[in-house]
Amino acid sequence: MRAFIIRPFGTQKEIDFNRVDELLISPALTRLGADGRTTLDIFEAGNIRVDMFRRLLTADIVVADLSIHNANVFYELGIRHALRDRGTVMLRCEAENFPFDLQTDRYFVYKKEDPAAALEELVQTLKRTVDSTHKDSPVFMSLPELVEPDPSTFMAVPLDFSEEIERALADNRSGDLALISNEVRGFEWEIKGWRTVGRAQFNVKAYVAAKETWEAIRKLEPSDLEANLLLGTIYERLGDLTRSTQALDRALKNSTIKGDQRAEAYALLARNAKTRWRADWEKESVDARTEKALLSPYLKDSYENYERAFSEDLNHFYSGLNALAMLSIMIELAAKLPDNWNGLFDSDDEAARALATKKEHAKALAAAVDVSLAATLGRLKHNGKRDVWAEISVADLRYITSTKPARVAAAYREALAGAPEFACDSLRKQLSIYRDLGVVTTCLAEVEKIAGAPTAASQPVSPERKRVLLFAGHMIDAPGREKPRFPADKESIARAKIKEAIVKEMQTGAGVACGYAGAASGGDLLFQEVCAELGIPTRLYLAIPPQKYVTTSVAKAGPDWVTRFWNSYNAQTALGQVRVLSDATDVTDEDEYLPVWLRSKPEYTIWQRNNLWMLFNALNEGSDPKSSDPNVTLIALWDGATGDGAGGTADLVDKVEKRGARSEVIKTKEIFGL
């Protein structure tokens, strides 16, 4: 979260504004977890006005001290009120009368002689402001149709940041994308950075991590259109239809939404309703299914939302086709169950008229979908492209409207040629609805010969997942270390304890899938060797190139450890299980191992990044969208001290536990007798 403070500087009118900032405003923002402050830090950075305008636009919260008549303060406040509709807190002490235009606004009041006394109250005020969805800008309150600019469009992400995401996306590295999403927090361009990461996560179907990224955006911008549209799909894929529908409803309430986006939102709402509709009747007995399916309110809900989507965008043939499918099912169920259909209306005549109207509407809808598909195929042909879904949709339309099974089967035979298996699976799922309800079955038998018979509706049973292990621990003490931590003569003790911890995990639940670790002399290499002995595959993660790594993290323990490093490295390389975080070789300053975009991140090193890199990749391999259990255990060979700082074992233990994963600490002071 980014903050900006508008205030006078120094002592003016007997008020020490620097002291007010030091004792009240900055501590309150720190408690809020906000970064960024005033323009003082950009006085030497060129045109202060440009930076000031950008920060006033992009800050999530602005605090303005209006205790005295200060032209700069009023000017900056006016810019903020003109650019953002909310997120501005005005405060003052009793010093001077306020300009007429601001006299009716609400202020937070502090005592100039004791500003710290108001700290707790200001913290609560800031929290309420951040959480509020109400406008506080008099400009936007007076001009309700005024739309604020999207702050993220005024922030550029660093080039090497974008390139790092492109590489992770190309290699389908979901764990790397989760790491980058975590690292973006706190940068001035964090929202735009999250958008870039979140789109990549969505594209690789890393829905659990994508949810976290897009919710981070929504925490700052609750009504963000892109976030809510994507979360509508993400939550649906994760099986949370309630949150999916809520996200889509928020998107539809956004005044900036366009027709094609409304079409997509309504189509997603329709899909949610269709899923609920199927759940209503699929578990019923064969005899009860049709009645349950006809009377379920989700049938009408799904049909109407699909049609609403098609009405918003006639190029959105998918929604029109699905509206026709749901309407056709409704019509045939009504014909099969006239008593149930009539019971939905005040009279039998009204029911008959309604059914006749729906039949006529189905003809018109089919014609409109046919035109939409023809236009789509025409554009594709003109551009020399092919869309397998459009071709399958042509066959789907014929299935619903044709009485010639052989022709329909031929259409599917042509459309499915070379189509991916999931396209056939999608078709089989739709066919299963027709078969299970006994409706729209004229062409079913012939199409089954092409696509395969749909399987019976059932809930797949997920096998118990094997656990992923992550290791961190002390290196062998360098000769002459003043305070021993891992003496060389304790190696056998450490190996035995590491093996004991691994075997314990192997005997728990479904066992162990794999392990993640570095290859430093000491705990890392012992873990790698024990896993190899026990037949557990491992992933070897190095922060820096192997030659440099040996110098920094292996060689001090002696030549035997260097040999063991290369043995492990070569074996893992042959299996394709070695990854190197930084490929920089000509480094004079350790910060240069980090990409340029990360070097300004406070107290962040390549070693801390490497630990998080392993953690997020382990979490990605162990995760299951249907479970909140991270399914990762950290085994830590650790003395319990925190002296290593960011990037050390203590830091990793803390982050693992905050993620809800398990940790098994091998207490070195106890086992080594230190």
Side-chain angles (χ1 to χ4, degrees), residues 404-430:
K404 304 292 185 181
R407 291 181 182 175
V408 174
Y412 275 117
R413 187 180 296 110
E414 181 179 350
L416 293 173
E421 177 57 28
F422 64 81
C424 296
D425 186 56
S426 177
L427 171 59
R428 286 191 288 268
K429 287 180 180 178
Q430 183 64 27

Side-chain angles (χ1 to χ4, degrees), residues 543-612:
I544 57 180
Q547 297 84 353
K548 295 275 187 178
Y549 190 90
V550 168
T551 302
T552 61
S553 304
V554 183
K556 292 178 183 178
D560 176 60
W561 285 99
V562 173
T563 299
R564 290 161 71 175
F565 167 85
W566 288 115
N567 287 342
S568 180
Y569 176 84
N570 291 331
Q572 294 291 66
T573 299
L575 296 172
Q577 294 298 341
V578 175
R579 296 194 64 199
V580 180
L581 180 57
S582 172
D583 58 5
T585 54
D586 186 18
V587 172
T588 57
D589 186 328
E590 193 171 272
D591 284 349
E592 294 176 21
Y593 283 122
L594 289 172
V596 175
W597 72 269
L598 265 177
R599 291 176 191 172
S600 62
K601 194 173 183 70
E603 299 180 1
Y604 201 59
T605 69
I606 190 65
W607 306 106
Q608 184 179 16
R609 191 180 203 217
N610 186 69
N611 275 347
L612 291 174

Side-chain angles (χ1 to χ4, degrees), residues 493-535:
I493 297 174
R495 174 185 285 272
K497 289 296 182 181
I498 290 171
K499 184 174 182 178
E500 180 182 316
I502 295 172
V503 170
K504 177 183 175 183
E505 293 296 318
M506 293 173 68
Q507 295 173 345
T508 301
V512 172
C514 64
Y516 282 75
S521 58
D524 283 356
L525 277 171
L526 290 174
F527 176 82
Q528 295 280 1
E529 292 168 352
V530 169
C531 283
E533 176 189 332
L534 296 173

